[in-house]
Amino acid sequence: MTKLNSLFSAVFLLIFSTSFAQKSDVGAWYMYFGNNKISEKFNFHNEIQYRNFDAGGDLEQLLIRTGIGYDLTENNNNVLLGYGFILSKPYSNGVKTENIEHRLFQQFITKQKFGRFNIQHRFRLEERFFEEDFRMRARYYFGLNIPLSNKEMLPKTFYLSAYNEIFMHLDSPVFDRNRVYGAFGFVITKNLRIEAGYMNQIQENKNRGQVQIGFYNNIPFTKN
């Protein structure tokens, strides 16, 4: 419990520090990722991300994503078909605007384990529907988790997390953005963990940092 209290104290300090971030260009993302096994092969993915220009109520983007996946092999290879609703509120010449996007996506995830290194590759293709536009984008994600206080990702284990993700348009300009992330996490139970970290997002004309707080909930399939 002492370790858990220390982690939540660190999370609070991260949130508190970002409340003064309007003058710097650092935002805050609060995220929930759920993965529910609905059979031995199928899973239901659900997530919500609340992204702010600061730590409070200056909404930058609300993202809700869901999908149905299928395990090609047990625990290691999964294909998924999904849908996302994205409400964006960017600033244009100092005035806040509103954009709505409907997104279809297909992805393939494969996982490997080398010693303490838990590695994940994700390949995703997106069809993005805007009010007056349509775009397609490909993404490649490479991530890893490294347990610290145990050799495995067991309950009450602290771990390090990192990823790099590149986004590429299927038309010109090809490069969209690149995200580099590092975090400190804690495995609360077998199926629940929390992370607090920092992500740097590089785009063609800007470079912006994001403090991120993420909850990950995996619900296994239970036979009746």
Side-chain angles (χ1 to χ4, degrees):
M1 184 61 69
T2 301
K3 291 182 178 180
L4 185 59
N5 289 339
S6 298
L7 179 67
F8 280 104
S9 296
V11 170
F12 172 77
L13 288 173
L14 275 170
I15 296 173
F16 180 77
S17 65
T18 57
S19 65
F20 300 96
Q22 286 187 351
K23 293 183 180 180
S24 64
D25 196 21
V26 178
W29 292 9
Y30 307 106
M31 307 173 296
Y32 170 83
F33 299 90
N35 185 51
N36 299 45
K37 292 287 290 184
I38 55 179
S39 73
E40 292 183 353
K41 286 287 189 178
F42 286 93
N43 65 288
F44 170 62
H45 174 81
N46 52 98
E47 71 179 86
I48 182 167
Q49 299 190 36
Y50 188 80
R51 303 171 176 179
N52 283 283
F53 286 106
D54 53 25
D58 191 5
L59 177 65
E60 178 181 9
Q61 190 174 77
L62 174 66
L63 185 150
I64 300 170
R65 195 154 36 204
T66 187
I68 296 294
Y70 179 80
D71 288 336
L72 300 175
T73 60
E74 187 176 0
N75 299 323
N76 291 325
N77 297 285
N78 180 270
V79 292
L80 184 140
L81 174 64
Y83 165 77
F85 171 83
I86 299 93
L87 169 65
S88 301
K89 292 192 173 184
Y91 285 98
S92 177
N93 299 320
V95 178
K96 204 160 196 182
T97 60
E98 180 175 300
N99 301 311
I100 292 177
E101 175 188 349
H102 299 278
R103 184 183 301 176
L104 300 177
F105 67 96
Q106 306 81 43
Q107 71 180 33
F108 169 66
I109 291 178
T110 181
K111 299 178 182 179
Q112 296 90 35
K113 190 176 186 305
F114 300 98
R116 291 192 177 211
F117 290 80
N118 299 277
I119 296 173
Q120 176 176 301
H121 304 267
R122 184 180 70 204
F123 305 86
R124 179 179 288 174
L125 180 66
E126 298 176 330
E127 296 83 39
R128 310 174 66 197
F129 298 86
F130 300 89
E131 185 176 352
E132 297 180 354
D133 196 8
F134 170 76
R135 305 173 197 169
M136 293 186 68
R137 185 169 66 180
R139 301 165 57 166
Y140 168 65
Y141 167 103
F142 173 82
L144 65 117
N145 291 330
I146 308 171
L148 299 175
S149 52
N150 286 302
K151 292 184 179 180
E152 304 289 340
M153 294 283 286
L154 300 172
K156 300 182 181 179
T157 297
F158 287 94
Y159 66 94
L160 294 177
S161 180
Y163 74 72
N164 187 87
E165 185 172 20
I166 186 167
F167 298 62
M168 308 292 286
H169 293 298
L170 298 192
D171 54 10
S172 182
V174 174
F175 176 75
D176 180 25
R177 67 194 66 201
N178 190 78
R179 293 174 179 171
V180 181
Y181 170 82
F184 185 63
F186 182 74
V187 183
I188 301 171
T189 68
K190 181 180 178 181
N191 301 312
L192 182 65
R193 56 190 173 91
I194 181 175
E195 285 183 14
Y198 180 83
M199 185 268 289
N200 187 39
Q201 182 164 246
I202 302 166
Q203 295 176 265
E204 184 177 359
N205 297 316
K206 64 181 178 179
N207 186 351
R208 191 159 191 264
Q210 308 282 355
V211 172
Q212 295 191 351
I213 310 297
F215 292 88
Y216 299 80
N217 185 26
N218 295 311
I219 302 175
F221 172 65
T222 303
K223 292 184 179 180
N224 294 328

